[in-house]
Amino acid sequence: MSVRDVTDLYEEFGGERLPPGQRETARFPVLSKSGTPSWSPETWTFEVWGAVEDDRSFSLEEFKRLPHERQRQDFHCVTGWSRFDNEFTGVPFPALAERAGVRDDATHVMFHGFDGYATDLPLSECMREEVLFAWELDGEPLPDDHGGPVRVVTPHKYAYKGAKWVDGVEFLTERELGYWEKRGYSDTANPWNEERYS
Ligand SMILES: Nc1nc2c(c(=O)[nH]1)N[C@H]1C(S)=C(S)[C@@H](COP(=O)(O)O)O[C@H]1N2
Ligand SMILES: [Mo]
């Protein structure tokens, strides 16, 4: 599979590849509000609901048959580390949105993880090819600690905007706040402006 390199997206934000206040690391630390939840490929389902034409539900097999691609991306954690050149394979957000038929009154999105996590973004910030529902990291199945079977990655935002263990996307008609956004993390989360806290 060919790789789309999106590591130059920082140019859109007018900054350096390494955002201010970040340190590059080769490790990939694990950060979760609680432990790593368990799941099984037979019972895992992915739901799309809210301001859409049709609610949708996918099995893991169905989900992986959606249009997907491999991308090389950077990953910026709000706690101060960045990991460059991660290769994630998954469904770009706009492809999933097209399947669901997003209604005109949808303005925001809530991503839900099956550990009880949630994180929100404006719809316009999700309708980008590099927002992926990813199930592979560097050619291997996404490790459970990093959100397997499927997680969201948001290379244009701090990584708390990328829900691990994602099993639901809710289209909203007004802004709501996710888990960390309710607890004082920035809702906009632009790493090049150091939008860490609200
Ligand atoms: N479902 C879920 N997603 C989550 C979290 C979480 O606790 N639960 N933590 C977030 C935070 S704060 C960060 S920094 C990244 C960490 O991803 P990593 O563990 O793969 O490094 O996942 C984000 N997504
Ligand atoms: Mo984080």
Side-chain angles (χ1 to χ4, degrees), residues 5 13 22 29 32-34 42 67 92 97 100 127 150 161 169 188-189:
D5 189 329
F13 300 95
Q22 296 291 106
S32 312
K33 69 173 181 62
S34 31
E42 290 78 40
M127 289 296 255
V150 181
K161 290 293 181 179
V169 177
T188 49

Side-chain angles (χ1 to χ4, degrees), residues 5-153:
D5 189 329
V6 301
T7 58
D8 59 356
L9 70 76
Y10 65 90
E11 292 170 2
E12 178 184 339
F13 300 95
E16 303 285 321
R17 184 172 177 189
L18 187 67
Q22 296 291 106
R23 182 176 50 82
E24 193 190 341
T25 176
R27 291 176 54 242
F28 199 167
V30 171
L31 281 152
S32 312
K33 69 173 181 62
S34 31
T36 296
S38 59
W39 59 280
S40 101
E42 290 78 40
T43 56
W44 186 91
T45 54
F46 185 95
E47 313 283 336
V48 183
W49 75 95
V52 289
E53 301 300 341
D54 296 301
D55 289 3
R56 300 290 303 258
S57 179
F58 301 89
S59 68
L60 190 52
E61 248 178 50
E62 290 166 340
F63 196 79
K64 290 184 179 176
R65 281 201 297 265
L66 290 168
H68 56 275
E69 61 179 50
R70 186 179 289 193
Q71 294 184 7
R72 183 173 306 122
Q73 304 194 341
D74 296 341
F75 188 100
H76 308 295
C77 178
V78 72
T79 61
W81 54 269
S82 293
R83 189 177 192 258
F84 286 169
D85 295 321
N86 309 292
E87 288 192 8
F88 287 108
T89 305
V91 185
F93 187 96
L96 186 88
E98 195 199 318
R99 288 300 164 105
V102 180
R103 288 195 336 233
D104 289 348
D105 58 342
T107 57
H108 289 77
V109 174
M110 189 70 78
F111 297 92
H112 296 272
F114 58 83
D115 62 337
Y117 190 74
T119 185
D120 61 283
L121 278 175
L123 179 58
S124 59
E125 302 259 32
C126 298
M127 289 296 255
R128 303 174 57 110
E129 293 299 320
E130 66 273 15
V131 175
L132 290 182
F133 296 93
W135 58 79
E136 268 183 23
L137 168 62
D138 296 335
E140 301 290 331
L142 183 68
D144 281 7
D145 284 346
H146 288 298
V150 181
R151 79 170 300 160
V152 180
V153 285

